[in-house]
Amino acid sequence: METYLVGGAVRDRLLGLPEGDRDWVVVGQTPEAMLARGFRAVGRDFPVFLHPQSNEEYALARTERKSGRGHRGFVVDADPSVTLEEDLGRRDFTINAIAQAPDGRLVDPFGGSRDLEQRVLRHVGPAFAEDPLRVLRAARFMARFAPLGFRVADETMALMRTMVASGELSELVPERVWQELSRGLASAAPSAFVRTLRDCGALAAILPEVDALYGVPQRAEFHPEVDTGVHVEMVCDMAARLAPGDAVVGFAALVHDLGKARTPAHVLPKHIGHEHAGLKPLAELCDRLKVPQAHRRLAEMACREHLNVHRLDELRNDTVHDLLARCDAFRQPARIAQLALVCEADKRGRKGHQDDAYPQGAELLRLLAAAQSVRGADVAREGLEGPKFAEVLRKARVAAIGRAREPGAGSR
């Protein structure tokens, strides 16, 4: 059976990166022949099979022909006569259109190896424009490979701009947009995801709430980078540094300042009340992209509370307690650790402040632990119920926070 290793496994091997899942292409076979060899069929839209021993994916070589709008509008041809080169020709980027034979020989009809060496993300051919999802894939690959020095080829960027101008990105289903966005935010350089979309005009189509932040000034004494869009890029990259691979933290970092786009012009560069003004556009974004609840809840907390966490030392004991309670910290304490990371990313995601200390994060967690030390069972012994129970519990926890903030309490 003529098989070739393809796609990301070959690309990452050539880049000297750890290999992920391995995918294979099979040339000259039929579905019936694959089943007869013990493979299990799993593909819904095209013939993909799982190897009977390794469980790795083996797909029949195929071509795709555009038949409608959107990323689903394709007719697939997996006839045994389809060649390996034809299969590689339907792929998105040259660096993903390299195959490796069992003897190690590379099949590289589109110059992917050269583009890997030159650190260029280049589309394979004109068929790239038939799938609007590839614009987001380009951004996602840049989020992963920008730290290695990759750039988008000029002709690929020009084609992406044409695709955006066609309006076909509106055909993308929310789940696929979110999938690419979340993977980009979990990559090493999320800012490259955002910048790539903005450079081709897709950010305004996919994330208009984020696109609106560019050009919005901030006070230079707090934000030397001034531009809010640039600040958000820096916060996203700092979040990736503090919480590698965590798209929940990454999404909150991306959207924490959405309210700054709604600041009246006569108030700029101040942003009074932007943390609450950001909740409405955040809700609109989450509804449109069907953002998972875990991501949405942390994003809401970060948007609403990041200024409070920054000035934690100035808050009264009862205000600290109520902040924790609003975040459901006593039932889901892990959220506070995530919130602390987002706030740290916000504070350090500023020009010249990348290496600043952020003691507020550890302090917030310490005060949460103090409040958690007061158990509901301690209050319940007094026979209280309902609102009276809740008020006594609150007072006890506020007192515990106060004791934790007494001089020397942190070193006891």
Side-chain angles (χ1 to χ4, degrees):
M1 189 168 67
E2 189 179 353
T3 62
Y4 297 86
L5 185 66
V6 294
V10 179
R11 176 199 67 222
D12 292 348
R13 180 181 295 177
L14 293 174
L15 285 172
L17 300 175
E19 294 180 25
D21 294 336
R22 303 198 304 172
D23 296 315
W24 303 82
V25 160
V26 182
V27 178
Q29 296 294 322
T30 64
E32 293 75 20
M34 297 294 288
L35 294 173
R37 291 174 179 267
F39 285 78
R40 289 189 294 115
V42 293
R44 183 183 65 178
D45 300 321
F46 45 83
V48 179
F49 303 84
L50 296 183
H51 191 280
Q53 277 80 48
S54 69
N55 272 331
E56 292 179 333
E57 287 192 359
Y58 285 67
L60 298 185
R62 67 185 189 272
T63 60
E64 296 172 347
R65 176 172 53 83
K66 187 72 169 174
S67 61
R69 290 177 65 84
H71 71 283
R72 292 177 170 175
F74 290 89
V75 173
V76 174
D77 179 13
D79 188 85
S81 63
V82 175
T83 67
L84 175 62
E85 289 73 13
E86 288 174 326
D87 181 273
L88 295 175
R90 68 172 175 80
R91 297 173 185 267
D92 48 11
F93 303 104
T94 61
I95 63 173
N96 296 330
I98 309 170
Q100 186 172 37
D103 62 4
R105 174 178 56 90
L106 294 180
V107 180
D108 183 15
F110 303 102
S113 298
R114 180 189 63 247
D115 285 340
L116 284 174
E117 293 174 0
Q118 296 179 356
R119 300 298 196 254
V120 175
L121 190 67
R122 190 190 318 275
H123 65 288
V124 169
F128 179 92
E130 295 177 350
D131 185 355
L133 188 65
R134 289 177 168 177
V135 172
L136 275 74
R137 283 176 59 83
R140 194 241 300 169
F141 278 120
M142 285 301 297
R144 181 179 178 190
F145 293 128
L148 300 180
F150 272 77
R151 64 177 180 86
V152 179
D154 292 343
E155 62 270 27
T156 300
M157 181 58 70
L159 182 57
M160 288 164 58
R161 289 176 181 140
T162 300
M163 295 167 67
V164 172
S166 75
E168 199 165 352
L169 267 66
S170 64
E171 303 289 332
L172 294 174
V173 297
E175 292 82 359
R176 294 306 301 273
V177 173
W178 172 252
Q179 183 181 49
E180 296 297 328
L181 172 59
S182 61
R183 293 177 71 179
L185 292 172
S187 298
S191 64
F193 181 93
V194 178
R195 277 198 309 275
T196 301
L197 291 183
R198 187 162 188 267
D199 287 347
C200 69
L203 191 63
I206 299 297
L207 295 168
E209 298 86 356
V210 176
D211 187 68
L213 296 173
Y214 285 88
V216 176
Q218 303 165 108
R219 293 173 64 182
E221 64 266 38
F222 301 122
H223 290 275
E225 69 284 353
V226 180
D227 190 300
T228 306
V230 174
H231 167 59
V232 167
E233 291 181 8
M234 298 177 72
V235 174
C236 286
D237 283 352
M238 183 57 67
R241 174 177 160 185
L242 297 173
D246 191 334
V248 179
V249 170
F251 179 66
L254 176 70
V255 300
H256 79 283
D257 262 351
L258 293 185
K260 289 183 176 178
R262 304 204 169 190
T263 300
H266 70 275
V267 178
L268 296 173
K270 295 182 178 180
H271 292 279
I272 301 168
H274 75 275
E275 63 275 26
H276 297 288
L279 293 173
K280 186 175 186 294
L282 173 59
E284 293 168 353
L285 188 160
C286 290
D287 289 344
R288 186 176 67 252
L289 295 186
K290 300 181 180 179
V291 174
Q293 285 299 309
H295 299 71
R296 181 170 186 157
R297 295 299 170 233
L298 182 64
E300 290 170 345
M301 287 188 290
C303 183
R304 186 183 64 236
E305 308 291 356
H306 64 276
L307 291 188
N308 288 328
V309 178
H310 291 339
R311 57 188 185 93
L312 184 64
D313 288 347
E314 303 172 20
L315 302 184
R316 300 192 310 267
N317 298 332
D318 59 338
T319 306
V320 173
H321 172 276
D322 294 347
L323 185 161
L324 294 171
R326 282 195 302 274
C327 296
D328 201 17
F330 301 111
R331 291 195 308 168
Q332 302 192 54
R335 282 184 175 178
I336 301 304
Q338 291 179 309
L339 175 63
L341 287 172
V342 178
C343 294
E344 181 175 355
D346 175 38
K347 201 68 172 181
R348 295 172 61 186
R350 309 176 189 212
K351 186 177 180 180
H353 293 273
Q354 294 88 335
D355 296 319
D356 285 1
Y358 190 72
Q360 296 94 319
E363 179 68 0
L364 183 65
L365 294 175
R366 193 177 73 84
L367 297 180
L368 169 62
Q372 286 178 308
S373 69
V374 178
R375 300 174 302 168
D378 298 333
V379 177
R381 293 195 193 103
E382 301 177 18
L384 299 174
E385 296 180 354
K388 290 185 177 180
F389 169 83
E391 181 58 26
V392 171
L393 179 61
R394 178 180 181 275
K395 288 181 178 179
R397 285 173 168 170
V398 169
I401 291 171
R403 290 192 295 273
R405 300 176 96 179
E406 293 174 356
S411 59
R412 290 175 187 169

